[in-house]
Amino acid sequence: MVRALEDIIASTSPASDSVEVSYLQLYMESIQDLLAPEKTNIPINEDPKTGEVSLPGATVVRVQDLDHFLQLLQVGEANRHAANTKMNTESSRSHAILMVHIRRSVHEKVNDEINSQEKGTKSDLFDGNGIPIVRKSKLLIVDLAGSERIDKSGSEGLLLEEAKFINLSLSSLGKCINALAENSSHIPTRDSKLTRLLRDSFGGSARTSLIVTIGPSARHHAETASTIMFGQRAMKIVNMVKLKEEFDYESLSRKLEGQVDHLTAEIERQQKLRDDDKYKLEKQLRECHDSFAEARKVLVTRSEILEKENIHLESEMKGILNELNHQKDLNNLMQDKVSKLEMSLKHSEQHQLENSTYQKVLADTTQMYEKKMAELIKQIEDERAHSENAEEQLALMKKLLSEQQKSIQGQKQIDELALKLQEMYQLHENTLSELQSLKSENKDLLLQKEKLNEELHSVRQRLLEQEKQRKGIENELFKLKRAVPENENDFEDKKSYMKEELSKGSSEFGNRMGSYRSNPLRENISGQRATIAKICEEVGLQKILQLLTSEDSDVQVHAVKVVANLAAEDINQKRIVEEGGLDALLMLLRSLENTTILRVASGAIANLAMNEMNQALIMDKGGALLLAKTASKTEDPQTLRMVAGALANLCGNEKLLTVLKEDGGIKALLGMARSGSSDVIAQVARGLANFAKCESRGVIQGHRIGRSLLIDDGALTWLIANSNTNSASTRRHVELALCHLAQNEDNAKDIISGGGVKVLIQISVESSREDIRNLAKKMLRLNPSLQADMHAR
C-alpha cells in the first residue's frame, strides 16, 4: 500500500491531479469504514448505464503527501478486526480493501464526438478551449483473510461465525474465477459483497495482480495444493485494459456559473450606472426646467416693471411739459405786470409833486423800486434762459409787487407793527408753555425722588434677607460636610459600567468596613443617598449647584460629591441638566487642577452620560474634548477610571461615533490603557466593545459602510494584544469587540493581517460565555474572507 501510494504521489501534480483514498473492511458480510468506525453496513450501488460500483457514505480523504497517507493507514489498521487462533496469534477476521481514486485533467479539445455545429457553438461559449476532459483511475489493494479449517484453527463462538463468512466469501470468489476460466456465460458475482466490489478486477477493464501465500509443511499439503490451483485458474483470466476519460462537466459548470455570476454582476453594474446616469440627467432636466421657468417668470416680472416704469416716465414727461407751458404762461403774465408797474411808476412820479410829505420817501422808494425793477427785468431775462427757476423767481416778484403795493398805499408801517405785536404775543405764549413744562418736570422729579426712596428701602430689605440666607447656607454647608462621604468610592454611580467594581471596593474602606457587597455597607450608602436627597429637597438643587463656583476648594469638593451622588439616580439627572449642573461640571474640568474635584466631576459626568439625551448635550458642549484633556493631564488611576467610564458610556451612542473619534475619544481611551490599572483597562475594553457594537448595528441596518473607525487609531491591535488578559470582565469586553468588528466585511483584511482570525478561533472554543462562543463561530462562518483564511490555516 505504501509503495503504491509513494509511486502514485511521485507521478502526479497537485495542480492538475487529485488522489483520494477510502479504507474499508468486509466483516461478516458487512462493509465497514476503517477511517470512520461508526459507519457500518455501507451499501453498494451500481450505475445501471456504466456498471460502475460505488459506495455512498464511505469516507473519501484527499491525500496530500505520503506522511498524510501513513497517518490514515495507522488509523485504519487500528480499527481492523483481528483475533488469536491456534494457527495465528494475529489472525485477520475481515477482508481489507484500500480504494485509491485518481483524477487527472487532460487539456485537449474534443475532436470527433461533437459535430461541427456544436463545435462552433461551444467554441464561442468557451473561447475555443473546448470542454475540459478528466481521466479517472481506480486502484484496489485487497488484503484477503486466509481460509481456515475449523479443526485446525479451533475457532468457536464468534470466531466460528467469522470463519464461516471468510470461507463463504473466498468460495464465492473461487466460483467467479472458475466461471471466468471456463468462459461460462454466467458469472455469479452477486453471491458475495466481495465479488461485487472486485468485479472489475477479474474479467474487467483493469490490470490485476494476485499474490497467494503457501506453506512448505506437509501438514498443510491440501491447503497448499488448493491455493496453487486457485492461482492457476486465476491466471487464465484475460482482462482488457481501457482508458477511462470523461467530460469534466462539473468544472465546466463551475466555470460557467462563475462567468454567469460575473456577467450578471457586470450587467447589474452597467444597469445601475445607466440608472444613475438616467437619474442625474432627469434631475438636471428638472433643474433646467425649473431654472427656465424661474427665469421666464423673472423676465415676465421684469418686463411688467419696465412697462410700468415707461408709463410712469411718460406721465412724468407730460407733467414736465405741462409745467413748462405753465411757466411760459406765467412769464408772459409777469411781463404784463411789469409793464403795468412801469405805468404805475409814471403815475407815482406825477403824484410826487402833489404830495410833498412823502417826496423823500417816494424818491427813495422809487430809486429802490427802479433798482429792483432792473433786477427783476434781469431775472425775467435769466428766467427765459433758465425755465427751471421760473417758479422761484415768480414768487419773488409777487412778494416785491405786494411790498410795492403796500408802500404805495401807506400800510407798510402798520403791517410791521402788527407783525411785531404778533411776535410778542407768540413769545408770551411760548413763555407760558415753558413755565408749564418746568412745573410738570418739577412734579416728575418729586415723584422720581419718592420712587428712589422706596427702591432704596426695598434694597436694604433684600440685603438683610440675603444676609440671613447666607448664614442659612453656611449652616446647610456645614450639614453637607457632615453628610457627604469623604471616600470618593462612595459616590460611584449604580450604573452598569461601575457594577464590576462593586465587588472590589477601596482597600482603606475595606479594612474598616469589610467587603463592598456587605449588607451594612449597602444600607450605609442607601442611607447617605437618602440623606443627600433630603438635604437637596430642603436646600434646593440650584443653591447646591451655585456652590460649585465657590472660591473655597473644600466647598467645591463637597458640592461636587453631592451632585455626583444625585446624578447616580435617574430621577435627578434631568433636573441637574436643566438647572445648569452639566455646564458647571464641564467648567470644573476645564478650569481646575484639583485631582479630587476632577475625579468626582468625571464620575458625575459618567453618571449623566448613561442617558442618551444627556450624551448628545455632553458632546455638543465639548465634553469629549474636555474628558480627553483631563485624561492627558492626570495619572491618578481613580480619575482615569472615571474618565474612561464616561467615554465608554458615550461610545454606546451610534449617532456620536464620528464626532467622538474626531474629538480624540478613542485615542484618549487607548492612552489611558497604558496606565496599567486593571480597573481602567476594563473601562477601556467596555468602551471599545460599545463602539464596535454600535458600528456593527449600523452596518447591519445599512447606516454605515467602510472600515471601522477604531482601526485607524490602533484599537484593533490593542484588542488582539489583550485578548488573553486575566481579568474576566476585560476579556469578555475584548471578545465582544472583536466579534462585532468581524461582522463588517470591510474589516476582514485588517483582522487577517493582524492575526485576529486565530484569536477569533480561540474565542469560539475557549470563551467562558456560550453566547460569545456562538457569536465568534457565526462570524467565522458568515464572513467569507475570514472563513477562507481559517481554512488555509
Side-chain angles (χ1 to χ4, degrees):
M1 293 180 185
V2 177
R3 289 176 179 173
L5 261 295
E6 183 178 7
D7 183 65
I8 290 172
I9 292 173
S11 303
T12 57
S13 172
S16 60
D17 304 332
S18 67
V19 181
E20 298 175 340
V21 300
S22 297
Y23 198 17
L24 311 167
Q25 71 175 353
L26 180 61
Y27 176 68
M28 295 179 69
E29 282 301 304
S30 174
I31 299 176
Q32 300 178 358
D33 196 335
L34 291 175
L35 300 180
E38 68 275 4
K39 296 181 179 180
T40 59
N41 200 17
I42 299 174
I44 300 175
N45 288 350
E46 295 184 12
D47 191 333
K49 294 183 179 179
T50 62
E52 185 176 355
V53 177
S54 61
L55 298 172
T59 302
V60 180
V61 182
R62 184 164 184 170
V63 178
Q64 301 173 357
D65 51 28
L66 190 60
D67 292 336
H68 184 206
F69 174 70
L70 288 174
Q71 294 175 3
L72 297 174
L73 199 59
Q74 290 176 359
V75 173
E77 290 297 327
N79 294 324
R80 190 174 176 187
H81 287 278
N84 183 13
T85 66
K86 291 180 180 181
M87 302 296 293
N88 194 348
T89 58
E90 290 290 335
S91 175
S92 299
R93 314 309 295 168
S94 65
H95 306 297
I97 304 169
L98 177 69
M99 291 185 176
V100 184
H101 301 274
I102 306 169
R103 290 169 56 92
R104 170 169 292 175
S105 299
V106 181
H107 300 287
E108 298 177 356
K109 293 186 179 180
V110 180
N111 295 324
D112 299 330
E113 285 83 4
I114 306 172
N115 56 32
S116 60
Q117 183 177 359
E118 291 174 342
K119 278 186 179 180
T121 305
K122 294 187 178 180
S123 64
D124 294 339
L125 186 60
F126 311 123
D127 298 329
N129 294 327
I131 301 176
I133 300 174
V134 62
R135 183 173 296 163
K136 294 183 179 180
S137 297
K138 180 170 69 173
L139 172 64
L140 296 179
I141 300 179
V142 185
D143 179 16
L144 294 173
S147 63
E148 62 181 58
R149 291 176 180 255
I150 304 303
D151 55 349
K152 292 182 178 181
S153 63
S155 299
E156 296 178 353
L158 180 62
L159 295 178
L160 180 60
E161 293 296 324
E162 292 173 349
K164 289 180 180 179
F165 280 105
I166 291 172
N167 292 336
L168 177 63
S169 59
L170 292 176
S171 176
S172 299
L173 181 61
K175 290 179 181 179
C176 291
I177 290 175
N178 290 337
L180 288 168
E182 297 172 357
N183 293 323
S184 175
S185 60
H186 173 67
I187 310 298
T189 57
R190 292 187 173 273
D191 291 350
S192 172
K193 291 185 178 180
L194 179 63
T195 56
R196 291 179 66 187
L197 288 173
L198 304 180
R199 187 179 64 180
D200 290 338
S201 298
F202 51 83
S205 61
R207 290 192 178 96
T208 304
S209 298
L210 177 64
I211 301 174
V212 297
T213 306
I214 61 175
S217 174
R219 181 186 175 194
H220 307 302
H221 176 269
E223 290 88 342
T224 299
S226 174
T227 302
I228 291 173
M229 293 298 293
F230 176 77
Q232 284 182 338
R233 288 193 299 271
M235 290 175 63
K236 295 179 182 180
I237 300 173
V238 179
N239 288 352
M240 298 297 292
V241 179
K242 295 181 182 179
L243 183 63
K244 189 175 184 180
E245 291 183 347
E246 298 177 355
F247 294 134
D248 191 4
Y249 289 108
E250 293 181 0
S251 62
L252 176 62
S253 176
R254 288 194 297 271
K255 179 180 178 181
L256 291 177
E257 287 177 356
Q259 292 180 355
V260 169
D261 293 339
H262 176 71
L263 292 174
T264 303
E266 182 67 20
I267 290 172
E268 291 177 353
R269 189 180 67 83
Q270 293 291 341
Q271 183 64 31
K272 186 176 181 181
L273 290 176
R274 285 195 293 271
D275 292 341
D276 293 340
D277 293 340
K278 181 180 178 181
Y279 175 74
K280 290 180 180 178
L281 291 174
E282 290 177 352
K283 185 178 180 181
Q284 292 177 358
L285 182 61
R286 288 195 299 269
E287 291 177 353
C288 290
H289 281 308
D290 294 341
S291 61
F292 177 74
E294 186 176 357
R296 184 174 183 180
K297 184 177 179 181
V298 171
L299 289 174
V300 171
T301 307
R302 184 64 178 170
S303 62
E304 293 176 354
I305 293 172
L306 290 175
E307 289 178 358
K308 292 179 179 179
E309 289 180 353
N310 289 333
I311 295 172
H312 181 68
L313 290 174
E314 289 177 357
S315 62
E316 287 184 350
M317 289 179 65
K318 291 179 180 179
I320 292 171
L321 291 174
N322 294 330
E323 186 176 356
L324 289 175
N325 293 329
H326 180 66
Q327 290 291 336
K328 185 176 180 181
D329 295 338
L330 289 176
N331 288 335
N332 295 330
L333 182 62
M334 291 285 289
Q335 289 178 358
D336 294 338
K337 289 184 177 180
V338 168
S339 61
K340 291 180 179 179
L341 287 173
E342 289 177 353
M343 293 297 294
S344 62
L345 283 174
K346 292 179 180 179
H347 290 295
S348 64
E349 288 177 356
Q350 293 177 0
H351 287 294
Q352 280 181 354
L353 296 175
E354 297 175 356
N355 194 357
S356 58
T357 307
Y358 298 104
Q359 185 176 5
K360 186 176 181 179
V361 177
L362 288 174
D364 294 336
T365 303
T366 302
Q367 186 178 0
M368 181 183 67
Y369 278 115
E370 286 178 350
K371 184 178 180 180
K372 289 183 179 181
M373 287 294 294
E375 292 176 356
L376 187 60
I377 293 170
K378 185 178 180 180
Q379 287 177 359
I380 291 172
E381 291 176 353
D382 292 335
E383 204 168 68
R384 289 176 181 175
H386 305 285
S387 61
E388 292 84 0
N389 298 325
E391 186 176 359
E392 183 179 356
Q393 292 176 358
L394 181 62
L396 182 61
M397 286 297 295
K398 287 181 179 180
K399 183 177 179 180
L400 292 175
L401 288 174
S402 62
E403 288 178 357
Q404 183 182 9
Q405 290 176 356
K406 289 178 183 179
S407 61
I408 294 172
Q409 296 175 1
Q411 297 296 327
K412 183 178 180 180
Q413 294 179 353
I414 297 171
D415 293 335
E416 288 177 354
L417 290 174
L419 183 61
K420 288 180 180 181
L421 182 61
Q422 187 176 3
E423 290 176 353
M424 289 179 66
Y425 179 77
Q426 188 68 34
L427 182 62
H428 177 68
E429 292 290 334
N430 293 337
T431 304
L432 291 175
S433 62
E434 289 177 357
L435 180 62
Q436 189 67 27
S437 64
L438 287 173
K439 287 181 179 179
S440 61
E441 287 177 358
N442 185 25
K443 186 176 181 181
D444 293 337
L445 289 173
L446 291 175
L447 293 173
Q448 290 178 1
K449 181 179 179 181
E450 291 177 359
K451 289 181 180 180
L452 288 174
N453 289 331
E454 292 175 358
E455 291 177 355
L456 181 60
H457 180 70
S458 63
V459 168
R460 288 176 180 174
Q461 293 294 331
R462 284 199 298 271
L463 288 174
L464 291 175
E465 291 176 359
Q466 288 179 0
E467 182 67 20
K468 292 180 181 179
Q469 290 178 357
R470 186 182 65 81
K471 292 180 179 180
I473 291 173
E474 289 178 353
N475 294 330
E476 292 163 357
L477 180 60
F478 178 74
K479 294 179 182 179
L480 287 173
K481 289 182 178 180
R482 294 180 61 186
V484 174
E486 293 295 327
N487 191 348
E488 291 79 17
N489 289 331
D490 293 343
F491 71 83
E492 294 174 2
D493 76 3
K494 59 182 175 59
K495 302 296 180 180
S496 59
Y497 86 97
M498 300 299 268
K499 288 182 180 177
E500 299 169 1
E501 313 299 331
L502 293 177
S503 61
K504 300 178 181 179
S506 62
S507 59
E508 178 183 358
F509 197 72
N511 293 333
R512 297 197 311 267
M513 298 294 292
S515 173
Y516 195 83
R517 292 182 178 271
S518 60
N519 291 331
L521 182 56
R522 291 181 180 178
E523 293 174 0
N524 187 19
I525 293 174
S526 300
Q528 289 174 353
R529 287 183 175 172
T531 303
I532 291 172
K534 184 176 180 181
I535 293 174
C536 178
E537 292 178 359
E538 294 176 356
V539 177
L541 180 61
Q542 184 62 39
K543 293 181 180 178
I544 296 174
L545 295 177
Q546 289 176 357
L547 296 178
L548 295 176
T549 59
S550 174
E551 296 180 356
D552 189 346
S553 60
D554 292 337
V555 175
Q556 283 184 317
V557 169
H558 288 288
V560 74
K561 286 181 180 180
V562 173
V563 175
N565 276 279
L566 292 174
E569 302 293 337
D570 295 336
I571 57 176
N572 298 328
Q573 291 183 0
K574 184 176 180 181
R575 289 182 57 205
I576 292 173
V577 174
E578 291 177 351
E579 295 290 342
L582 177 59
D583 295 334
L585 292 170
L586 294 176
M587 184 61 68
L588 293 178
L589 292 183
R590 185 181 292 110
S591 60
L592 295 181
E593 300 289 336
N594 188 302
T595 304
T596 303
I597 294 178
L598 291 177
R599 177 165 61 251
V600 182
S602 300
I605 293 174
N607 291 341
L608 294 176
M610 294 302 294
N611 184 283
E612 185 175 357
M613 294 179 63
N614 295 342
Q615 290 171 355
L617 289 174
I618 291 171
M619 294 299 296
D620 292 341
K621 296 177 183 297
L625 285 172
L626 290 175
L627 290 169
K629 291 180 180 178
T630 303
S632 64
K633 67 183 180 181
T634 182
E635 296 180 356
D636 178 54
Q638 294 296 328
T639 304
L640 292 176
R641 180 165 64 95
M642 299 297 180
V643 174
L647 289 174
N649 291 338
L650 293 176
C651 288
N653 192 325
E654 182 183 349
K655 300 177 182 178
L656 307 177
L657 298 185
T658 303
V659 180
L660 184 62
K661 179 186 180 300
E662 293 174 353
D663 290 349
I666 305 304
K667 290 183 179 178
L669 282 173
L670 296 175
M672 287 185 283
R674 290 192 286 270
S675 66
S677 172
S678 59
D679 297 338
V680 176
I681 293 174
Q683 295 303 321
V684 172
R686 187 175 68 86
L688 297 180
N690 289 342
F691 199 102
K693 182 178 180 181
C694 291
E695 277 192 329
S696 66
R697 187 187 305 120
V699 170
I700 292 172
Q701 296 176 355
H703 302 158
R704 186 178 296 275
I705 57 175
R707 294 169 66 239
S708 171
L709 300 176
L710 294 174
I711 296 177
D712 296 334
D713 291 337
L716 178 60
T717 305
W718 185 88
L719 290 169
I720 294 173
N722 289 270
S723 61
N724 292 322
T725 183
N726 294 329
S727 173
S729 61
T730 303
R731 186 169 184 175
R732 183 174 74 254
H733 290 310
V734 170
E735 291 172 350
L736 282 172
L738 288 172
C739 290
H740 287 305
L741 286 174
Q743 281 187 303
N744 189 353
E745 177 67 23
D746 295 330
N747 299 333
K749 184 177 180 181
D750 299 280
I751 293 174
I752 293 171
S753 63
V757 177
K758 182 179 179 182
V759 176
L760 286 170
I761 296 173
Q762 182 179 354
I763 292 171
S764 67
V765 178
E766 300 178 0
S767 177
S768 60
R769 294 276 296 271
E770 183 180 0
D771 55 341
I772 297 178
R773 292 197 302 270
N774 294 334
L775 182 60
K777 292 176 183 177
K778 181 180 178 181
M779 294 304 100
L780 291 172
R781 185 174 68 254
L782 296 181
N783 195 316
S785 301
L786 301 182
Q787 190 176 21
D789 186 76
M790 182 177 65
H791 288 317
R793 289 175 183 275

Short mmCIF file of all heavy atoms in Angstrom, two decimals, residues 6 39 72 101 103 123 165 225 227 250 292 306 349 355 400-401 441 473 481 501 517 535 558 625 631 640 653 679:
data_model
loop_
_atom_site.label_atom_id
_atom_site.label_comp_id
_atom_site.label_asym_id
_atom_site.label_seq_id
_atom_site.Cartn_x
_atom_site.Cartn_y
_atom_site.Cartn_z
N GLU A 6 3.29 5.85 -2.73
CA GLU A 6 4.50 6.65 -2.96
C GLU A 6 4.74 6.84 -4.44
O GLU A 6 5.07 7.94 -4.91
CB GLU A 6 5.69 5.95 -2.30
CG GLU A 6 6.99 6.74 -2.41
CD GLU A 6 8.15 6.03 -1.72
OE1 GLU A 6 7.96 4.87 -1.26
OE2 GLU A 6 9.22 6.63 -1.63
N LYS A 39 -19.35 4.22 10.86
CA LYS A 39 -20.07 3.93 9.62
C LYS A 39 -20.01 2.42 9.36
O LYS A 39 -18.93 1.88 9.04
CB LYS A 39 -19.49 4.69 8.44
CG LYS A 39 -19.61 6.20 8.58
CD LYS A 39 -19.03 6.90 7.37
CE LYS A 39 -19.17 8.41 7.49
NZ LYS A 39 -18.62 9.12 6.32
N LEU A 72 -3.36 8.01 7.90
CA LEU A 72 -4.64 7.37 7.60
C LEU A 72 -4.54 5.86 7.72
O LEU A 72 -5.46 5.18 8.23
CB LEU A 72 -5.11 7.76 6.20
CG LEU A 72 -5.39 9.25 5.95
CD1 LEU A 72 -5.70 9.48 4.48
CD2 LEU A 72 -6.55 9.72 6.81
N HIS A 101 -8.63 6.59 -5.66
CA HIS A 101 -9.26 7.23 -6.81
C HIS A 101 -8.35 8.36 -7.30
O HIS A 101 -7.97 9.25 -6.52
CB HIS A 101 -10.63 7.80 -6.45
CG HIS A 101 -11.60 6.78 -5.94
ND1 HIS A 101 -12.39 6.02 -6.77
CD2 HIS A 101 -11.89 6.38 -4.67
CE1 HIS A 101 -13.13 5.20 -6.05
NE2 HIS A 101 -12.85 5.40 -4.76
N ARG A 103 -7.81 11.38 -10.28
CA ARG A 103 -8.43 12.19 -11.34
C ARG A 103 -7.36 13.10 -11.92
O ARG A 103 -6.61 13.74 -11.19
CB ARG A 103 -9.56 13.06 -10.79
CG ARG A 103 -10.79 12.28 -10.38
CD ARG A 103 -11.76 13.17 -9.61
NE ARG A 103 -12.13 14.36 -10.37
CZ ARG A 103 -13.19 14.42 -11.17
NH1 ARG A 103 -14.00 13.39 -11.30
NH2 ARG A 103 -13.46 15.53 -11.83
N SER A 123 -17.25 26.52 -29.04
CA SER A 123 -16.02 27.31 -29.14
C SER A 123 -16.30 28.76 -28.83
O SER A 123 -15.49 29.44 -28.21
CB SER A 123 -15.40 27.14 -30.53
OG SER A 123 -16.29 27.67 -31.51
N PHE A 165 -18.00 -16.80 7.42
CA PHE A 165 -18.18 -15.71 6.43
C PHE A 165 -16.92 -15.53 5.59
O PHE A 165 -17.00 -15.21 4.40
CB PHE A 165 -18.54 -14.41 7.15
CG PHE A 165 -19.98 -14.32 7.56
CD1 PHE A 165 -20.37 -14.50 8.88
CD2 PHE A 165 -20.95 -14.07 6.60
CE1 PHE A 165 -21.69 -14.42 9.24
CE2 PHE A 165 -22.29 -13.98 6.96
CZ PHE A 165 -22.67 -14.16 8.29
N ALA A 225 -2.00 -27.11 -1.99
CA ALA A 225 -2.40 -27.52 -3.34
C ALA A 225 -3.63 -26.76 -3.80
O ALA A 225 -3.72 -26.30 -4.95
CB ALA A 225 -2.67 -29.05 -3.36
N THR A 227 -4.57 -23.78 -2.88
CA THR A 227 -4.21 -22.38 -3.14
C THR A 227 -3.52 -22.24 -4.48
O THR A 227 -3.77 -21.31 -5.25
CB THR A 227 -3.31 -21.86 -2.01
OG1 THR A 227 -3.99 -21.98 -0.77
CG2 THR A 227 -2.95 -20.41 -2.25
N GLU A 250 -18.50 19.01 -14.35
CA GLU A 250 -18.59 19.72 -13.07
C GLU A 250 -17.73 20.98 -13.08
O GLU A 250 -18.20 22.07 -12.74
CB GLU A 250 -18.15 18.80 -11.93
CG GLU A 250 -19.09 17.63 -11.70
CD GLU A 250 -18.63 16.75 -10.55
OE1 GLU A 250 -17.57 17.08 -9.97
OE2 GLU A 250 -19.30 15.76 -10.25
N PHE A 292 -35.46 77.44 -16.09
CA PHE A 292 -36.07 78.12 -17.24
C PHE A 292 -37.38 78.80 -16.84
O PHE A 292 -37.63 79.96 -17.19
CB PHE A 292 -36.29 77.11 -18.37
CG PHE A 292 -36.98 77.70 -19.57
CD1 PHE A 292 -36.30 78.53 -20.45
CD2 PHE A 292 -38.32 77.43 -19.82
CE1 PHE A 292 -36.94 79.07 -21.55
CE2 PHE A 292 -38.95 77.97 -20.92
CZ PHE A 292 -38.26 78.79 -21.79
N LEU A 306 -40.78 97.15 -16.16
CA LEU A 306 -40.26 98.13 -17.12
C LEU A 306 -41.41 98.86 -17.83
O LEU A 306 -41.32 100.07 -18.09
CB LEU A 306 -39.37 97.43 -18.15
CG LEU A 306 -38.03 96.91 -17.60
CD1 LEU A 306 -37.29 96.13 -18.68
CD2 LEU A 306 -37.16 98.07 -17.11
N GLU A 349 -44.73 159.24 -10.09
CA GLU A 349 -43.87 160.41 -10.28
C GLU A 349 -44.71 161.69 -10.41
O GLU A 349 -44.32 162.76 -9.93
CB GLU A 349 -42.99 160.21 -11.51
CG GLU A 349 -41.89 159.15 -11.32
CD GLU A 349 -41.10 158.91 -12.57
OE1 GLU A 349 -41.44 159.50 -13.63
OE2 GLU A 349 -40.11 158.09 -12.53
N ASN A 355 -47.76 165.46 -3.42
CA ASN A 355 -47.61 165.00 -2.04
C ASN A 355 -46.17 165.23 -1.61
O ASN A 355 -45.29 164.42 -1.83
CB ASN A 355 -47.96 163.53 -1.95
CG ASN A 355 -48.15 163.07 -0.50
OD1 ASN A 355 -47.96 163.86 0.42
ND2 ASN A 355 -48.54 161.82 -0.34
N LEU A 400 -42.30 141.13 -4.15
CA LEU A 400 -41.88 142.51 -4.39
C LEU A 400 -43.09 143.38 -4.79
O LEU A 400 -43.23 144.54 -4.35
CB LEU A 400 -40.83 142.55 -5.50
CG LEU A 400 -39.46 141.92 -5.13
CD1 LEU A 400 -38.54 141.92 -6.34
CD2 LEU A 400 -38.82 142.71 -3.99
N LEU A 401 -43.95 142.82 -5.61
CA LEU A 401 -45.12 143.58 -6.04
C LEU A 401 -46.04 143.87 -4.86
O LEU A 401 -46.60 144.98 -4.75
CB LEU A 401 -45.88 142.79 -7.10
CG LEU A 401 -45.19 142.72 -8.48
CD1 LEU A 401 -45.95 141.79 -9.40
CD2 LEU A 401 -45.09 144.11 -9.10
N GLU A 441 -42.10 119.14 34.96
CA GLU A 441 -40.82 118.46 35.19
C GLU A 441 -40.49 118.43 36.67
O GLU A 441 -39.99 117.42 37.20
CB GLU A 441 -39.69 119.17 34.43
CG GLU A 441 -39.75 118.94 32.92
CD GLU A 441 -38.68 119.71 32.18
OE1 GLU A 441 -37.92 120.44 32.84
OE2 GLU A 441 -38.60 119.58 30.95
N ILE A 473 -27.22 79.28 54.45
CA ILE A 473 -26.43 78.43 53.54
C ILE A 473 -25.17 77.93 54.22
O ILE A 473 -24.74 76.78 54.03
CB ILE A 473 -26.09 79.21 52.25
CG1 ILE A 473 -27.36 79.43 51.43
CG2 ILE A 473 -25.05 78.47 51.42
CD1 ILE A 473 -27.17 80.32 50.25
N LYS A 481 -21.22 69.00 54.74
CA LYS A 481 -19.89 68.46 55.03
C LYS A 481 -19.98 67.25 55.94
O LYS A 481 -19.21 66.31 55.83
CB LYS A 481 -19.01 69.53 55.66
CG LYS A 481 -18.57 70.62 54.70
CD LYS A 481 -17.67 71.63 55.37
CE LYS A 481 -17.19 72.68 54.38
NZ LYS A 481 -16.31 73.68 55.03
N GLU A 501 -17.03 47.05 39.68
CA GLU A 501 -16.15 47.48 40.76
C GLU A 501 -16.74 47.23 42.13
O GLU A 501 -16.06 47.40 43.14
CB GLU A 501 -15.87 48.99 40.62
CG GLU A 501 -15.50 49.42 39.19
CD GLU A 501 -14.25 48.73 38.71
OE1 GLU A 501 -13.41 48.42 39.58
OE2 GLU A 501 -14.13 48.48 37.52
N ARG A 517 -19.77 44.47 49.05
CA ARG A 517 -21.10 43.91 48.84
C ARG A 517 -21.82 43.59 50.14
O ARG A 517 -22.92 43.06 50.13
CB ARG A 517 -20.99 42.62 48.01
CG ARG A 517 -20.56 42.85 46.57
CD ARG A 517 -20.54 41.52 45.84
NE ARG A 517 -20.16 41.73 44.45
CZ ARG A 517 -21.01 41.97 43.48
NH1 ARG A 517 -22.28 42.07 43.74
NH2 ARG A 517 -20.60 42.12 42.24
N ILE A 535 -31.51 66.59 51.99
CA ILE A 535 -30.88 67.91 52.05
C ILE A 535 -31.13 68.68 50.77
O ILE A 535 -31.35 69.90 50.78
CB ILE A 535 -29.36 67.74 52.31
CG1 ILE A 535 -29.15 67.17 53.72
CG2 ILE A 535 -28.63 69.06 52.17
CD1 ILE A 535 -27.71 66.82 54.02
N HIS A 558 -17.08 69.18 48.37
CA HIS A 558 -18.29 68.62 48.96
C HIS A 558 -19.50 68.82 48.05
O HIS A 558 -20.36 67.94 47.94
CB HIS A 558 -18.54 69.26 50.33
CG HIS A 558 -17.56 68.80 51.38
ND1 HIS A 558 -17.60 67.55 51.92
CD2 HIS A 558 -16.51 69.44 51.96
CE1 HIS A 558 -16.62 67.43 52.81
NE2 HIS A 558 -15.94 68.56 52.85
N LEU A 625 -13.89 66.36 24.33
CA LEU A 625 -12.58 67.03 24.31
C LEU A 625 -12.07 67.27 25.72
O LEU A 625 -10.89 67.04 26.03
CB LEU A 625 -12.70 68.35 23.55
CG LEU A 625 -12.78 68.25 22.03
CD1 LEU A 625 -13.08 69.61 21.43
CD2 LEU A 625 -11.47 67.73 21.47
N ALA A 631 -7.80 63.30 30.83
CA ALA A 631 -7.04 62.06 30.86
C ALA A 631 -5.56 62.29 30.58
O ALA A 631 -4.69 61.59 31.12
CB ALA A 631 -7.61 61.08 29.83
N LEU A 640 -8.61 58.40 36.15
CA LEU A 640 -8.62 57.79 34.81
C LEU A 640 -9.77 56.79 34.67
O LEU A 640 -10.38 56.67 33.61
CB LEU A 640 -7.29 57.08 34.56
CG LEU A 640 -6.06 57.98 34.42
CD1 LEU A 640 -4.80 57.15 34.27
CD2 LEU A 640 -6.20 58.93 33.24
N ASN A 653 -23.48 55.38 21.90
CA ASN A 653 -24.46 56.13 21.10
C ASN A 653 -23.98 56.12 19.65
O ASN A 653 -22.95 56.71 19.32
CB ASN A 653 -24.58 57.57 21.62
CG ASN A 653 -25.79 58.28 21.02
OD1 ASN A 653 -26.14 58.07 19.86
ND2 ASN A 653 -26.41 59.13 21.80
N ASP A 679 -8.63 48.27 36.57
CA ASP A 679 -9.95 48.91 36.52
C ASP A 679 -10.07 49.83 35.31
O ASP A 679 -11.10 49.86 34.63
CB ASP A 679 -10.18 49.71 37.80
CG ASP A 679 -10.21 48.81 39.03
OD1 ASP A 679 -10.47 47.60 38.89
OD2 ASP A 679 -9.97 49.34 40.12
#
